[in-house]
Amino acid sequence: MMKDSQETTHFGFRTVDKDEKVAMVADVFHSVASKYDLMNDLMSFGIHRVWKRFTIDCSAVREGQKVLDLAGGTGDLTAKFSRLVGEKGEVVLADINDSMLKMGRSKLRDMGIVGNVNYVQANAEALPFPDNYFDCITISFGLRNVTDKDKALRSMFRVLKPGGRLLVLEFSKPVIKVLNSAYDAYSFHILPKIGEMITKDADSYRYLAESIRMHPDQETLKGMMEESGFDNVNYFNLTGGIVALHRGFKF
C-alpha cells in the first residue's frame, strides 16, 4: 500500500517516512561534524565566508540585541554576532544535532567567546523560546534539512519580536544557465569524492548535493516566508544563485 504524501518527505532524492528523516539527517551530521569546517572551506573554495559576511552585514544586529543562530553548527555566525551584541546582548547557538553543538561550543570557547553565548539543542519546528523574544534569527545552510519547513518558519516567526528579521542563507537555484551543468558535475561527481577523502563518508556529501536540488527555489521560498507571516521578503542571489540570502521582517 502506497503511503500518503503527508506521511512522507524527501531525504535527498529518496522518499522516506517523516518520522525517519530527523534521525537520518542526524546521522549525516554526526558523521561529518569533526571535519565540518574543513569541508566547508574545501567544497566552497572558501567563498562560504563571504556569504556569511554578507549575511552579517544584512542582519543590522546592534549592541544589546538578542540573536538566534539556528542550525548554527560550529558557530561561524555566532562568533560574529557575539562581538556585535556586546556584553548586554545575547546570542543563542541552537542546533538539533548534539555533535555539531559540541563542536561549536568547543570552537567558540577556544576563541575566548563565553560571556554572552548560550547553547541550546533545539528542533526548528518547535523552538523552545518565548514569543517575541529575538531581534534577529539566522539559519545558515540548515533549512533544507528541516522536515517541515513551513512549520519551522512559523516557529521562527513566533519567537521574533515585532520589528525583528529572519535571514535564511541557503543553497538555491543558479540563475546563469551555463553554471547549471558545471554545478551539477561538481556536486554529484567531485563533491562526494572530496567527502570520501576527508571524512571517509561519500554518502553524506551525496545527500548534500541531492538535498540542495530538492530545496525550494528562490521565489518558492520567498512565498513560503510570506505565507508564514513575514513581510517585505526579498532575496539576494550570491555566486550566480548557487546560494541565496532571503530576508523577511515581522511587523
Side-chain angles (χ1 to χ4, degrees):
M1 180 177 175
M2 186 175 293
K3 285 185 175 287
D4 190 290
S5 61
Q6 293 183 343
E7 300 175 4
T8 61
T9 188
H10 295 290
F11 179 78
F13 290 160
R14 295 164 55 191
T15 299
V16 299
D17 288 347
K18 281 188 173 180
D19 292 342
E20 295 176 354
K21 182 171 178 176
V22 171
M24 295 171 76
V25 170
D27 286 343
V28 168
F29 285 94
H30 285 314
S31 174
V32 304
S34 64
K35 302 289 186 180
Y36 185 78
D37 285 339
L38 174 60
M39 281 298 297
N40 276 350
D41 279 331
L42 289 174
M43 69 185 186
S44 75
F45 306 101
I47 301 173
H48 75 99
R49 299 176 185 275
V50 177
W51 299 331
K52 290 171 181 173
R53 181 71 257 178
F54 183 73
T55 302
I56 297 287
D57 290 343
C58 289
S59 72
V61 165
R62 304 187 304 275
E63 188 173 355
Q65 292 191 326
K66 293 182 173 67
V67 179
L68 173 61
D69 182 12
L70 186 56
T74 56
D76 284 348
L77 293 181
T78 293
K80 302 288 187 184
F81 284 133
S82 173
R83 297 185 182 100
L84 287 174
V85 303
E87 292 181 3
K88 295 181 180 179
E90 177 189 6
V91 184
V92 176
L93 172 56
D95 203 292
I96 196 171
N97 186 280
D98 65 320
S99 295
M100 294 295 289
L101 205 57
K102 287 173 183 174
M103 291 297 299
R105 184 189 294 114
S106 176
K107 174 179 159 183
L108 295 182
R109 287 181 176 174
D110 285 347
M111 294 169 65
I113 298 172
V114 292
N116 60 0
V117 176
N118 294 309
Y119 302 87
V120 176
Q121 188 170 359
N123 186 331
E125 297 175 23
L127 293 171
F129 306 110
D131 294 357
N132 307 317
Y133 188 77
F134 292 102
D135 297 283
C136 181
I137 298 175
T138 58
I139 179 165
S140 173
F141 304 112
L143 187 61
R144 72 179 185 281
N145 297 312
V146 174
T147 303
D148 191 331
K149 296 174 180 60
D150 291 308
K151 188 175 180 181
L153 289 169
R154 291 193 298 271
S155 184
M156 294 178 221
F157 185 84
R158 177 185 65 78
V159 303
L160 267 179
K161 293 179 181 177
R165 56 271 181 211
L166 167 67
L167 293 98
V168 181
L169 182 66
E170 189 54 89
F171 292 107
S172 200
K173 184 175 176 59
V175 294
I176 303 171
K177 283 189 177 180
V178 71
L179 202 56
N180 272 307
S181 56
Y183 185 44
D184 282 346
Y186 172 76
S187 298
F188 291 106
H189 300 292
I190 298 174
L191 183 57
K193 290 180 180 177
I194 297 174
E196 175 64 30
M197 266 195 315
I198 303 299
T199 69
K200 311 303 180 188
D201 184 357
D203 288 342
S204 289
Y205 286 92
R206 195 169 292 111
Y207 159 74
L208 168 64
E210 293 176 0
S211 70
I212 291 168
R213 300 317 186 278
M214 300 305 294
H215 185 68
D217 64 17
Q218 289 91 324
E219 283 294 324
T220 303
L221 180 54
K222 178 183 177 184
M224 291 168 64
M225 290 175 66
E226 291 169 339
E227 285 292 319
S228 299
F230 290 95
D231 288 307
N232 288 3
V233 179
N234 60 356
Y235 61 84
F236 307 89
N237 284 316
L238 308 176
T239 316
I242 287 176
V243 164
L245 175 66
H246 284 68
R247 181 173 59 183
F249 296 85
K250 177 177 178 177
F251 293 132

